[in-house]
Amino acid sequence: MIRVVTEPSLALIKYWGKAEGGVNLPATSSIAVSLGGLTTTTEISSIDAPADVFVLNGQEQHDAKIQGLLLHLRTVFPDTARLRFRISTENSFPTAAGIASSSSGFAALAIGLSRAAGLKLGDRELSQLARHGSGSAARAVFGGFTRFPAGSSAAEQLYPHDHWPELRIVVVMVHTGAKPIGSRDAMEHTRRTSPYYASWVEASRRLEEPAAAAVGSTDLDELGPIMRRSYLSMFGSMLGADPGVVYWLPDSVQLIHRAAAWRSQGIPAWETMDAGPQVKLLTTAEHLPALQERLAREFPHLKTLTATVGAGPRVYGDAQA
Ligand code: PMV
């Protein structure tokens, strides 16, 4: 049995929309950080059974995206076609709520399946395989800071986790139920129907290099405004879709305003959001206690999870065990 522990990949510069020519090829370049301390643990064993078995958080499920990744594996590596797998996954954080559980989930699946099948894949091949589950998963096969260039088949690591040890990411859980529409459908809907989609893709192009430079110089005050432009323009494209996609809840909006107020009081608290109502605040270890104190005082009803920059996937066991 193989056990793989992965971390979600939080985009600082967002991927939203697919390019043509392959499965989950991104139309926009994304830059992301691995959320150390939040984990997906996936156990995979080869079984003697007619079909694969998939168990998520203790419940057996059928998942078309997982089937898609398995089909891709069996097509590209025909020797794996005769194998059937039991896959069991647990998240230490809410699933399908906009905390990038698909990124850590499919990265774990790609790494675990390749090991369980006895394949020796390099990072680039693992990233390509994970991408068949979800685009963000292509980044989550790496730790630290990653980039997934527009149109590319694989992500790459920009910096390892110890590049920026002071960075902290506070995930504020606004609502932990599953979201009304998943990222895959919502981004396709945006691409097809939003008059702002082309402008979003164009605007996003101008954010990639400045964001990479700000990550390179570990300058949060430089990175923060660029991050905000990325997620806010992404939501602009979603709001313009027909019908518009609205993931935000009242607490999400309130947090955006309060983060601005806290910044004006000298606390770096730079927010970003994904396909869900949660708000992720980037700060530094030095300012974390002040930020947590503000959150506890002003949002006592909301739980938070605090992450460091994650070191990336860990793999235990071997195919024979
Ligand atoms: O790859 P998916 O389907 O998990 O979509 C990711 C979409 C965002 O989280 C909104 C942005 C991103 O780059 O992670």
Side-chain angles (χ1 to χ4, degrees):
M1 193 255 291
I2 305 286
R3 176 179 299 132
V4 187
V5 180
T6 52
E7 300 151 344
S9 168
L10 171 68
L12 310 172
I13 299 298
K14 305 295 179 185
Y15 147 57
W16 192 256
K18 298 180 203 309
E20 287 179 6
V23 175
N24 294 338
L25 293 179
T28 59
S29 295
S30 52
I31 292 182
V33 61
S34 196
L35 296 180
L38 276 61
T39 55
T40 292
T41 303
T42 298
E43 294 181 344
I44 300 186
S45 35
S46 180
I47 52 171
D48 189 8
D52 303 300
V53 177
F54 173 55
V55 180
L56 174 65
N57 294 330
Q59 290 200 317
E60 199 170 328
Q61 316 240 327
H62 291 277
D63 186 307
K65 289 201 261 179
I66 292 181
Q67 292 304 334
L69 196 149
L70 282 161
L71 183 64
H72 176 73
L73 180 84
R74 289 171 175 140
T75 309
V76 177
F77 304 101
D79 285 354
T80 64
R82 66 195 158 76
L83 300 175
R84 296 293 171 267
F85 301 99
R86 184 181 192 281
I87 301 159
S88 165
T89 291
E90 306 247 336
N91 290 321
S92 71
F93 54 91
T95 304
I99 314 177
S101 60
S102 67
S103 64
S104 47
F106 286 111
L109 195 61
I111 295 168
L113 285 173
S114 63
R115 290 284 188 111
L119 301 170
K120 292 195 168 49
L121 303 186
D123 285 346
R124 192 171 168 80
E125 288 169 299
L126 284 174
S127 178
Q128 287 168 341
L129 182 57
R131 194 196 85 227
H132 281 262
S134 87
S136 57
R139 302 185 309 241
V141 300
F142 305 97
F145 296 88
T146 55
R147 183 208 304 257
F148 192 4
S152 174
S153 68
E156 64 205 19
Q157 189 181 55
L158 278 180
Y159 299 98
H161 75 286
D162 53 6
H163 169 69
W164 197 345
E166 304 82 26
L167 187 68
R168 295 292 178 275
I169 306 99
V170 182
V171 180
V172 187
M173 314 290 290
V174 167
H175 180 72
T176 53
K179 55 201 176 191
I181 172 169
S183 51
R184 176 178 288 209
D185 291 341
M187 68 174 78
E188 182 56 13
H189 174 65
T190 305
R191 187 187 68 78
R192 282 193 297 103
T193 67
S194 175
Y196 306 141
Y197 177 73
S199 326
W200 143 250
V201 172
E202 176 55 32
S204 182
R205 202 168 289 151
R206 290 192 292 273
L207 301 177
E208 180 184 355
E209 284 317 318
V215 170
S217 55
T218 65
D219 187 337
L220 186 53
D221 289 334
E222 186 74 29
L223 178 64
I226 307 170
M227 270 170 48
R228 292 190 82 236
R229 286 184 59 199
S230 177
Y231 94 89
L232 289 169
S233 331
M234 175 183 77
F235 279 102
S237 74
M238 278 187 233
L239 293 172
D242 181 17
V245 179
V246 187
Y247 283 116
W248 297 9
L249 290 174
D251 274 328
S252 321
V253 179
Q254 185 66 6
L255 278 157
I256 293 171
H257 289 293
R258 294 310 297 153
W262 298 332
R263 289 196 296 274
S264 71
Q265 295 161 12
I267 302 171
W270 293 100
E271 85 283 359
T272 186
M273 292 180 68
D274 292 278
Q278 325 316 342
V279 177
K280 293 99 178 188
L281 295 162
L282 271 71
T283 191
T284 59
E286 182 195 348
H287 292 96
L288 181 66
L291 177 58
Q292 283 175 327
E293 187 272 325
R294 300 290 196 289
L295 284 165
R297 178 151 42 91
E298 298 186 34
F299 297 88
H301 54 295
L302 299 183
K303 287 204 176 66
T304 63
L305 300 165
T306 299
T308 54
V309 181
R314 284 159 301 186
V315 184
Y316 308 93
D318 61 58
Q320 273 72 46

